[in-house]
Amino acid sequence: EAAVTQSPRSKVAVTGGKVTLSCHQTNNHDYMYWYRQDTGHGLRLIHYSYVADSTEKGDIPDGYKASRPSQENFSLILELASLSQTAVYFCASRETGGDYEQYFGPGTRLTVL
Amino acid sequence: EQQVQQSPASLVLQEAENAELQCSFSIFTNQVQWFYQRPGGRLVSLLYNPSGTKQSGRLTSTTVIKERRSSLHISSSQITDSGTYLCAMEPSGSWQLIFGSGTQLTVMP
């Protein structure tokens, strides 16, 4: 079965600190995504990647960087964490081509104090 | 403008009643996915439905691409069905999902 894992599962960070969220997939999928979810809302796309060593901006990339060192791994980096980045972050992967669903990880709950 | 609209925003049912959740899109889509989420919990993919009707257990999704809408029917609701149901669509020519804000379902005993 397709598997997407995330670490850490939860994290408390201080304002101005650096935070790195990690995602690992064993699906052999080319596409990987980072979404954020704010309380009571749907998910919004931050960054995505369709090949190793390349990342693309999503709908809300400001304040975030992404890194795709390999097909399996995709990281989200907050260089200077801010209060407004408190949210749940989901990673997902998808096969290339049409008509394929996305598979999601369990999420990382980030609290910035 | 919100590209994915879900209705109703919240729904309260008695156990064993049926539920009908709606999703509409402002742009054309390749495919639709329905997800289930408990508060603060993991996303569970319920149905992936590019078009037509798909069924999984008590769940039935109907997507009409040319009308830019999809629905999720839950039959014989159970208390454990309570949670948030999210609709997401993939715009034509894009490989990202755009999510609606969800329908919060509460099933009462």
Side-chain angles (χ1 to χ4, degrees):
Chain A
E1 183 176 324
V4 180
T5 56
Q6 294 182 232
S7 62
R9 293 295 312 277
S10 67
K11 182 171 181 65
V12 178
V14 295
T15 303
K18 182 177 181 179
V19 176
T20 300
L21 307 183
S22 300
C23 178
H24 179 80
Q25 56 108 350
T26 58
N27 306 330
N28 199 34
H29 288 168
D30 288 326
Y31 274 81
M32 295 187 74
Y33 306 83
W34 276 107
Y35 295 88
R36 71 174 274 174
Q37 184 179 35
D38 297 285
T39 303
H41 291 85
L43 282 68
R44 291 180 293 169
L45 182 65
I46 306 170
H47 284 288
Y48 68 99
S49 168
Y50 55 85
V51 68
D53 296 322
S54 177
T55 63
E56 305 291 332
K57 293 180 180 179
D59 298 325
I60 53 165
D62 293 345
Y64 301 95
K65 291 184 179 180
S67 174
R68 182 92 180 269
S70 64
Q71 187 191 43
E72 299 81 15
N73 296 295
F74 192 35
S75 297
L76 185 68
I77 304 151
L78 291 66
E79 294 280 2
L80 295 170
S82 66
L83 295 174
S84 64
Q85 293 176 313
T86 293
V88 179
Y89 292 84
F90 289 94
C91 177
S93 73
R94 180 195 188 281
E95 287 193 56
T96 303
D99 293 349
Y100 290 113
E101 64 182 292
Q102 290 192 19
Y103 295 89
F104 281 78
T108 295
R109 181 174 297 278
L110 174 66
T111 303
V112 182
L113 301 175
Chain B
E1 179 194 1
Q2 196 163 1
Q3 293 177 296
V4 181
Q5 304 258 11
Q6 288 191 246
S7 61
S10 63
L11 182 62
V12 180
L13 299 175
Q14 294 294 317
E15 195 172 12
E17 288 184 327
N18 298 330
E20 187 85 12
L21 311 180
Q22 303 289 342
C23 188
S24 63
F25 327 114
S26 61
I27 56 178
F28 284 100
T29 177
N30 288 336
Q31 57 104 335
V32 178
Q33 268 185 271
W34 284 92
F35 296 88
Y36 167 73
Q37 185 179 40
R38 287 194 181 275
R42 186 171 192 153
L43 286 172
V44 177
S45 182
L46 297 174
L47 283 166
Y48 165 76
N49 187 7
S51 64
T53 298
K54 288 203 172 179
Q55 184 174 0
S56 176
R58 296 183 292 109
L59 304 177
T60 302
S61 172
T62 299
T63 296
V64 184
I65 291 291
K66 62 181 180 181
E67 295 181 9
R68 291 181 283 174
R69 61 177 176 85
S70 181
S71 64
L72 180 68
H73 181 85
I74 305 172
S75 62
S76 304
S77 64
Q78 301 174 358
I79 294 172
T80 53
D81 292 334
S82 297
T84 300
Y85 290 78
L86 293 166
C87 168
M89 66 88 166
E90 184 178 275
S92 298
S94 166
W95 288 343
Q96 68 176 73
L97 285 177
I98 299 177
F99 284 78
S101 298
T103 292
Q104 188 164 349
L105 176 66
T106 304
V107 181
M108 308 291 288

